Amino acid sequence: MNRRIVSNAAVLAALKIGAPLCSWLLVVAVSRRLGVPALGQYSLAYTWLAVLSLLGPLGLPALLTRETARNRAVLGPLLATAAALGGAVSIVLTAVMATAGARLGYDAATLHAVIILSLALLPATLQAYCEAAFLALQQTAPIAWATAADSLLKVGLGIVWLRAGYGLEGVLVAAVLGRAAAGVVSLAWLHRAGVLEGFRPDRVLAQKLASEAPVFALSGLCATLYWRVDVLLLTHFQGLAAVGLYTAAYRVLDLAVLLPQSLCQAAYPELAVRRDHRLPAGSTLAWLLSLTAPAAALVAVAAGPVMRLLYGKGFEAAGPLLAVLIWTAVPYTWNRYYACVLVASGRQRTDLAINAGLLAINLALNLALIPRLGGRGAALVTLATALLYAAAQQVALRRPYVARQVIHAA
């Protein structure tokens, strides 16, 4: 495998582990200093941010990475135009997030929390575009520096202000400043690389991006719902105790798929410039499978002790759930890699069709099995639909397809 892909994947994996750990430290500080109600306000505000941050970039980061990997001359105008479109949408979403709390009847403290964190939407969208540009250039160092700046202010300054008595509002202001700092670091790096020279939106390019955006955005939304709808249904049918056990096991799966996520993210720019997307021996996919399959077998055998070790007594009951869920890491490797291949080769509409179809199947199976089997039913559906996902992608990839360049340099 390409050494650059491996090194970039290592950096991305470290960031995917390190950033959540830093955020966890802040969550612990908030819970101990301010108590359960404040932690609930914090979590609700971040839930809003997570959902709307998905919509703000319009799905364009994947297109930006793909087209820039094929032709670096388009990066400047493409980044400027995408930033203008996504920035405008993010400003609207900021207003939506800031006013939604009042319409939903939130109390004053919760409303203030949501309003403050809504200011992070615009820098989050711009940072998503910057990270896409860095991935296209196969440079992960600026992503690492931007993430470090974000975490330093969000966690470091947040804890300092928390201890100084500024409460949850101080913590959330620090989070907004962290997102803004990450954007400043990224823009400085792009400026030094000469990307920002002649940085201005293009009207014709904006029309092309606007026509492509719905497919990318809907595909991302369907994929997100596909992986999260089980928790919502489990909450409705089985209650919070069942959700606690299921999500405890699911967090182990989340850790198991970090390496496939990172390797595929690092390999995506190279896939975008290849005409032949068949998988030769020693390919990225072979490496992923050689790592995930033995790890899944090991965790499945020791699922009960693993849950007890991670979460303490009482969580052994989640062992059978983990023993099923962890095998999802194997087909997930195919899912993630083939999704990259489809989008890299310009078949994002096929990717959207697969995502939408599997979301419908996932929802139907969960509705049928969760009321009867609870968390075990949700785990079985997760594994089964991941296998169906891979099969659908295989069928789609059998068709010959020549990658096309959507965005041309002026």
Side-chain angles (χ1 to χ4, degrees), residues 215-216 218-227 335 339 342-343 348-362 389 392-393:
V215 174
F216 284 94
L218 285 173
S219 184
L221 184 60
C222 287
T224 300
L225 291 174
Y226 166 84
W227 290 105
N335 300 157
L342 285 169
V343 177
Q348 56 270 10
R349 295 181 186 276
T350 301
D351 183 57
L352 171 59
I354 293 172
N355 278 318
L358 266 294
L359 173 59
I361 294 172
N362 184 283
Y389 210 133
Q393 290 172 316

Side-chain angles (χ1 to χ4, degrees), residues 44-328:
L44 179 61
Y46 264 98
T47 299
W48 273 100
L49 180 63
V51 172
L52 296 182
S53 292
L54 180 68
L55 300 176
L58 298 171
L60 294 176
L63 184 145
L64 192 154
T65 299
R66 186 187 73 192
E67 298 301 320
T68 300
R70 295 175 181 172
N71 181 5
R72 294 191 179 187
V74 306
L75 176 55
L78 184 55
L79 181 59
T81 306
L85 291 173
V89 171
S90 295
I91 291 172
V92 173
L93 292 175
T94 299
V96 170
M97 181 171 169
T99 57
R103 293 182 177 275
L104 293 172
Y106 293 165
D107 60 85
T110 303
L111 183 59
H112 289 162
V114 173
I115 290 174
I116 291 172
L117 204 57
S118 70
L119 300 176
L121 270 171
L122 179 58
T125 294
L126 298 180
Q127 179 60 18
Y129 292 136
C130 290
E131 289 186 3
F134 294 134
L135 286 174
L137 299 173
Q138 296 189 341
Q139 296 181 11
T140 52
I143 299 177
W145 282 108
T147 302
D150 186 357
S151 297
L152 180 63
L153 285 176
K154 174 185 173 180
V155 180
L157 188 59
I159 291 177
V160 169
W161 281 353
L162 187 61
R163 291 182 175 274
Y166 290 101
L168 184 60
E169 292 183 352
V171 171
L172 296 176
V173 169
V176 174
L177 293 176
R179 291 292 175 100
V184 170
V185 170
S186 296
L187 289 174
W189 204 288
L190 290 170
H191 177 71
R192 191 173 69 176
V195 174
L196 300 185
E197 294 179 6
F199 189 75
R200 63 178 62 87
D202 180 86
R203 181 179 298 180
V204 175
L205 189 52
Q207 293 174 347
K208 292 181 180 179
L209 292 182
S211 67
E212 295 282 347
V215 174
F216 284 94
L218 285 173
S219 184
L221 184 60
C222 287
T224 300
L225 291 174
Y226 166 84
W227 290 105
R228 297 306 174 199
V229 71
D230 50 359
V231 174
L232 297 176
L233 293 176
L234 197 60
T235 303
H236 176 74
F237 287 112
Q238 298 290 329
L240 292 177
V243 171
L245 292 174
Y246 183 74
T247 54
Y250 210 106
R251 287 184 181 275
V252 180
L253 174 62
D254 285 338
L255 289 174
V257 300
L258 283 178
L259 182 59
Q261 286 178 355
S262 301
L263 274 173
C264 291
Q265 194 175 9
Y268 176 61
E270 183 174 296
L271 286 170
V273 299
R274 291 182 58 180
R275 292 183 178 275
D276 181 4
H277 296 282
R278 288 178 298 178
L279 306 174
S283 67
T284 302
L285 184 60
W287 277 91
L288 291 172
L289 292 176
S290 68
L291 293 171
T292 54
L298 181 62
V299 173
V301 170
V306 166
M307 295 305 297
R308 184 172 61 250
L309 176 65
L310 292 176
Y311 296 100
K313 293 182 179 180
F315 280 89
E316 296 93 336
L321 304 180
L322 177 60
V324 176
L325 275 174
I326 194 63
W327 285 107
T328 306

